[in-house]
Amino acid sequence: MDYNYTRRYYPSLDYAESSEKSGKEVMSKGSSGMEVILASLENSRDVQTTLNIMYILSELLTVGRGRRVGVFVSKGGTGILFQILISASQELPPSEELMLQVHSLLAKVGLKDRKFGVKARLSGALNVTINVMKQNIQNTKLLLPCLQVLRVYATNSVNAISLGKDGVVELMFKIVGPYSKKNTSLFKVALDALGALLKSKTNARRAVDSGHVSVLLALYLDWHRNDTRHRCMLIRKGLLVCLRNITNIKLGRKAFLEADGMRVLYNSSTECLPVRTLDPLVNTSSLIMRKCFPKNRLPLPTIKSAFHFQLPHVPPGGPVAQLYTQPPGVDDVVDESDNEEAETDTENDEDDKDQCNLNDDIETDLSKLHPKRTIGRPFEELKDYQNFFSELSEDFQGYNFEFSKSPSTTSSPYLFSSSSARFSRPVVVPTAQSPSPKQIPDSQDVCTSVKEHQTLPSPSLTSSQTPLDLDTIHISKDKDKKEDINIPTPARHTAPTSFSGSLSQGQMIEQELSHPLECLSLEDKGNQKAEAGSEKVKHEGSPVNNLRHIQSPLLLGGFPIRRAGGGGSNVGSDCGSEGTEDEGGEGAVLEVPDTAQLLPLHDPDLYVEMVKGTQSVPQYAEVAYPDYFGHVAPMFKEPLLERIYGVQRSKIFQDIERLIHPNDILDKVVYDIDHPSPVIEENGESLKFNSQFESGNLRKAVQVRKYEYDLVLNADINSNHYHQWFYFEVSGMRVGVMYRFNIINCEKSNSQFNYGMQVLMYSVQEAISGRPRWVRTGTDICYYKNHFARSSIATGGQKGKSYYTLTFSISFSHKDDVCYFAYHYPYTYSTLKMHLSKLEAMRTPQIYLRQDVLCETLSGNTCPLLTITAMPESKSSDHICQFRNRPLIFLSARVHPGETNASWVMKGTLEFLMGTSPLAVSLREAYIFKIVPMLNPDGVVNGNHRCSLSGEDLNRQWQNPSPELHPTIYHTKSLLQYLAYIQRAPLVFCDYHGHSRKKNVFMYGCSVKETVWQSSISTTSSDLQEDLGYRTLPKILSQIAPAFSMASSSFVVERSKESTARVVVWREIGVKRSYTMESTLCGCDQGKYKGLQIGTRELEEMGAQFCVALLRLKRLTGLRNHQHLLDLESDIIGTQSKPVSSCTTTYVLEEDEPSFLEAIDYSAESNDEDAEPESDICGEVHENFDQLSDSENNHRD
């Protein structure tokens, strides 16, 4: 460039030079140099002068990068360039060099100007650029900058529609062509512009109508075959992006399939797999194929649960009413939602996009943020609940304190014990629902008349609900054993389980398990006479002493066993079986060590008895081996599973192969509870499945390949969704074969299975060998959106949704094993009853323990209520007064059946409370504990994940629970309301839960100040006055419990949670320390257990540490100043919630995981980079589809 020439024509430039300003200074925001240059450019009427100024600008903007471009835009430079472009187009003929320079500058500044597209449309520049391109389609030099500007134009959706109407889409297809080493830059920019244009559904439909889908496939295949050195990967990627955008509409997907696009992309991707640098091509191809994979229906007759429970009444307009009032003949598995896809664009969608408030779920009503005791019920309705609080008026005058100091623990009248009468239900204390003054004993009678009530028949058994007739089981024991050998005694269990085992303890456990302990065999005596139905003791010799012999499978007599698909097959000779199962139903006999002496709260015999009194909707007649044998936590660490590079992609390709090679698919149903008796050949070619036992959940198993099975979970009863919890049995496996299991109807959009979590497996063979335990297992685990369509009936009206697949692979170690798989460590309702019975045997005379029946559930199961504290030291008025006036702690758990970890935490709490350690003694002396260990027994029994038999989430019913439909919530809330009336509201309320998408253990609480800080509420200082004591307990836990994370905790009140236990107890009962304690289902990413999956030992330890924290809280509440434990502002700053880019209605804390693992979206409705996330995803981060790779592992390999 001739700088002297420029200077001659523009003396004003001497100003900048004479001031010795560099180019950087000229372009700085505070300088007038930019205005001088732009003013000169705007006022120039000479083409050459204009060009020279543009040369200078081009050099400055190229060197100055983004900041200088920003200054240029802010000074109105874009508008001046558009004016010059319009003026130049009016010259005949227009200056080619001027057009080239103007478009080059526009391409540089376009991406920095947010209003670039609007300015171009309003100024008329769109048509100018189109005309220049049409007239110079062979002029590569001028065409390239025009395409670069067009690429920016097209990012505005309104411009894209306008350009499409003017034939620009067709023009692009004239520019792009087959493989060539020339003009590759031009092809790349043209494909980028075409890809941007095809984001418009109107343009995509126009391309489909013109037959361009097959053209794009042919071009891609040509470039794929000829670009052997992979130097043109960006062009190949550009072609795939065009295909990706076209297939966002149904017509595009149909055209893609008709053009055999699945096979083309599958074969080309398979060839690209060995080259790591081609991962973006493979992943984009995979994305397209997943979208275009035809939506399949789940292989079910209906998405409603396979089991139905008749409710006492169905609330009109509720979920159950909607479920069962559908017109006959309606297919609720799939609908025609994909056919109703909107394929037109709005003219103003660019400027009128919804900008939803990221934290719009935060409560902003200050009147709701200040808790006020609004009990809402008259005391007359609540006074009957005093029967559950006899400890508050007990005078102990009939109690012999001297006698209680003796070693015997069976003499105390203040112990509710069912261990000596295991065949009866606990005594039922009348509630407000059925008051009867004659049946309500006074506070003394409640304790002294227990033995009289223990022999009463169960009040829950009605004429329409008969108990399982399990008495046809014949129990035989060694003749040298006493009949009452299984009755727990204090000498046998005197201390709770230790939570921190050493290596020596592990060796002791292995040694004890290797010793045979006791002999017992369960034989099916269903063909005996009716009068032989009661349990008998048979004395006969046994060739093997101290071994437990059990029939396989465990049948709980007299009921016809539903063996769909041959599930629950017998254990073969390798399991120590004797004989084979015959037509009479007698199974093999297993010899397994008795774990009762190793697990203080477990007794197999007692468990069977508890199962007999458990009511289930399917009338289960089997006991799962893991629940019978028990679980001894392994002593070894189980680290989070390291994700293998490309595992998700490989699984997706295997799914795509089903469409490419349909003849390889068996599609053989091997288990189906909807059709209980399919004929399965006993040829050993198929696995056998079973889930017909307490807490079991597996609806259907389909063998798709020789060693691959699709599994379908059952919906919660009286519901058509909530598929997450699973628990099923597998048998008939081969050793050394890698089996793949796909659970194909999961619903959550993400899972910790993508972040190191494994499924749990229990091997009967391992149990026989002395290792009865659940272990984390499975390889190639991933969780992704699949091609099975979700009906809008199950998604609340949202259309076009898909299910998700959890896939894992496993190789079995033992021939003819029987293995169980579960979502998390199972903890059944019968297990709870057994544990409570055993806890009573652990009681010492110094412990006040009472177990009441709070109420009965819909199906007739009892909901236990525990009261635990320390006995007063004597009958003196001072000791009695201290006893009665202890503050109350109210704990609950397992409102969601699938959150079994909550029960394990509760088990740890109960064992600690019943322990003999000095801390446990001090804790009992400090508080009275009221505990509801299982709020949803029916859901637990029937294998639900979220709901009760009412088909509703019980933790969303606390505001207005129904005594008929939500009895456990109704009566639990009534207990708290009664306490509020008598001015004895609990010091702490805590509801134990499990969390499926976060790591660690953490708490949710309620705080006015922290809620206000996270919102835009205008408040005064008086509105923010708040006792900071709500942070004390979680702060203590963060200091003493290794699994607890204060950083993951939140004290924000959300609108969507206003009907949960935590918020209702805080707001209506006035408990400022009202919490939900969430325990991870996966593992920890901080502290002592960082990098490890969580187990029952850690969960029970958490329950014990919660007790220790309560003891420390008691000591701190007596101190006026414990601000050092709070550090409110610094803690909140450290855990500040970050805004999440989504239009969701749920406030979420910052995710504890990276935004994506493999950045692949599997939705069929939208897959472009700026697509809105699904509305049901809470806090999901946008996935960057330009980084389609296994990015979480890019640092490896």
Side-chain angles (χ1 to χ4, degrees), residues 197-217:
L197 287 167
L198 292 175
K199 286 183 180 180
S200 160
K201 292 180 180 179
T202 302
N203 290 337
R205 190 172 62 252
R206 185 176 287 111
V208 173
D209 293 340
S210 301
H212 291 318
V213 173
S214 57
V215 173
L216 287 170
L217 283 169

Side-chain angles (χ1 to χ4, degrees), residues 422 477 486 518 520 548 603-609 628:
R422 295 199 303 270
K477 302 184 181 181
N486 289 308
E518 182 184 356
L520 175 121
R548 184 179 297 276
D603 184 334
D605 302 328
L606 183 57
Y607 182 80
V608 171
E609 298 304 327
Y628 179 77

Side-chain angles (χ1 to χ4, degrees), residues 216-280:
L216 287 170
L217 283 169
L219 287 173
Y220 178 74
L221 192 57
D222 181 66
W223 282 88
H224 169 75
R225 289 172 176 171
N226 291 288
D227 184 26
T228 55
R229 304 184 71 176
H230 312 305
R231 292 181 175 177
C232 301
M233 191 181 74
L234 292 178
I235 292 177
R236 294 157 67 182
K237 174 69 181 298
L239 287 164
L240 289 175
V241 168
C242 292
L243 282 170
R244 184 192 72 192
N245 293 341
I246 286 180
T247 53
N248 282 340
I249 64 172
K250 186 186 176 186
L251 282 175
R253 295 192 287 275
K254 181 180 178 182
F256 178 84
L257 291 174
E258 291 175 349
D260 202 20
M262 294 290 284
R263 190 178 302 275
V264 170
L265 292 193
Y266 175 80
N267 291 336
S268 62
S269 299
T270 304
E271 295 170 6
C272 291
L273 284 175
V275 184
R276 185 73 172 271
T277 55
L278 299 181
D279 276 356

Side-chain angles (χ1 to χ4, degrees), residues 295-303 326 329-338 787-794 800-801 803:
K295 284 292 186 72
N296 293 350
R297 66 172 285 145
L298 281 176
L300 296 175
T302 174
I303 55 173
Q326 296 170 7
V330 171
D331 185 358
D332 65 351
V333 180
V334 294
D335 53 26
E336 298 300 320
S337 59
D338 201 33
H787 56 272
F788 289 101
R790 287 185 70 189
S791 167
S792 60
I793 296 175
K801 300 297 181 182
Y803 286 103

